[in-house]
Amino acid sequence: MGAAAHLGIKPGEYDKMIATLIPHYSDLIDAAAAAVGVVARTAPAVVDLGTGSGTLAQRILRVRPKARLIGIDADGAMLATASRRLRGNIQTIEANFERTRIPRCDVVSASFSLHHIPTGRRKAAIYKHCFQSLRPGGMFVSADCYLASSAILRKHNREAWLNHLQRTYTRKKAENFLRTWAKEDVYFTLDREIELLKEAGFGVEVTWRNDSFAVLVGLK
């Protein structure tokens, strides 16, 4: 299921709506792109997993204008949106990124796409696939929701998410969003995600974090 269908909206509505749903969204995307700006070579080949409307790919292009972008997504309508957004400066592959070959590259990026992978075994497999697809010196970067290890912090962070949603929606609707997403989205703790990346061979850094949201960087 594509990002727009997952949220029950049309592809053209995604960019307008996503910031009302995800706390710190713009800061997260900027931080992920900034990590690419620090680590990646001048003209990297970038593969964006679950590229959606192309928001992260566009931000990466701002910090690395010579980047060659490849977006993989199962939702053709979202890929068309990304292509328009980037004025054709992205090669698109309509496929499930778990089931297709990741082209040889310098950067593998993702934003709010890997939490659709439901098991640790499958998450480990995609991280290994990413590691194998990267050239030496390459990097993996992901902006997503990563749970705290302690129950008290998880409760606090969930309430912070609800408070963000209530800037736009009622409390009832905000709670319904989280319940509905929980049927499809699987969030691991930050510690577990770091373990899985290290097991795949990466050196791991957390370059940005606020509440349940973080940017993870894996270095090859």
Side-chain angles (χ1 to χ4, degrees):
M1 179 184 293
H6 174 61
L7 296 173
I9 59 176
K10 298 176 181 178
E13 299 171 336
Y14 181 84
D15 287 330
K16 182 177 180 180
M17 190 173 184
I18 191 66
T20 71
L21 302 176
I22 305 297
H24 327 297
Y25 181 73
S26 186
D27 291 342
L28 263 170
I29 301 301
D30 281 342
V36 175
V38 171
V39 176
R41 57 190 292 186
T42 303
V46 179
V47 177
D48 194 34
L49 304 181
T51 200
S53 67
T55 302
L56 178 55
Q58 183 183 52
R59 304 283 178 94
I60 289 173
L61 197 60
R62 288 177 187 171
V63 300
R64 284 291 182 269
K66 295 181 180 179
R68 180 170 63 86
L69 302 173
I70 300 170
I72 303 176
D73 201 299
D75 188 330
M78 290 299 281
L79 285 176
T81 299
S83 187
R84 287 193 297 271
R85 177 188 214 121
L86 287 150
R87 299 179 181 179
N89 292 315
I90 185 170
Q91 175 189 344
T92 60
I93 299 173
E94 187 174 344
N96 182 321
F97 57 73
E98 284 192 84
R99 299 173 188 166
T100 195
R101 184 184 69 86
I102 297 175
R104 193 75 166 158
C105 58
D106 305 292
V107 178
V108 176
S109 61
S111 59
F112 296 95
S113 56
L114 301 185
H115 64 237
H116 298 300
I117 299 175
T119 67
R121 179 184 59 80
R122 285 169 59 181
K123 184 70 72 73
I126 193 68
Y127 285 160
K128 289 177 182 175
H129 190 184
C130 291
F131 187 84
Q132 292 164 357
S133 299
L134 286 166
R135 297 186 179 97
M139 68 179 294
F140 164 87
V141 60
S142 179
D144 214 320
C145 176
Y146 303 105
L147 300 179
S149 295
S150 74
I152 192 168
L153 282 176
R154 286 197 298 273
K155 182 178 179 181
H156 168 82
N157 292 343
R158 186 178 190 278
E159 192 62 30
W161 197 344
L162 285 168
N163 288 339
H164 173 81
L165 288 164
Q166 286 179 95
R167 295 176 185 177
T168 308
Y169 311 100
T170 65
R171 176 77 181 196
K172 182 178 180 180
K173 190 163 187 177
E175 290 178 339
N176 187 58
F177 274 134
L178 295 189
R179 279 195 302 269
T180 300
W181 298 337
K183 296 174 183 177
E184 297 180 10
D185 299 344
V186 179
Y187 303 116
F188 293 84
T189 65
L190 184 63
D191 286 348
R192 181 57 180 148
E193 293 278 2
I194 291 171
E195 286 177 0
L196 290 168
L197 283 166
K198 286 182 175 179
E199 288 169 5
F202 288 106
V204 184
E205 302 288 348
V206 180
T207 61
W208 187 95
R209 189 179 188 186
N210 197 334
D211 299 327
S212 294
F213 301 90
V215 173
L216 276 179
V217 170
L219 303 173
K220 181 172 181 177

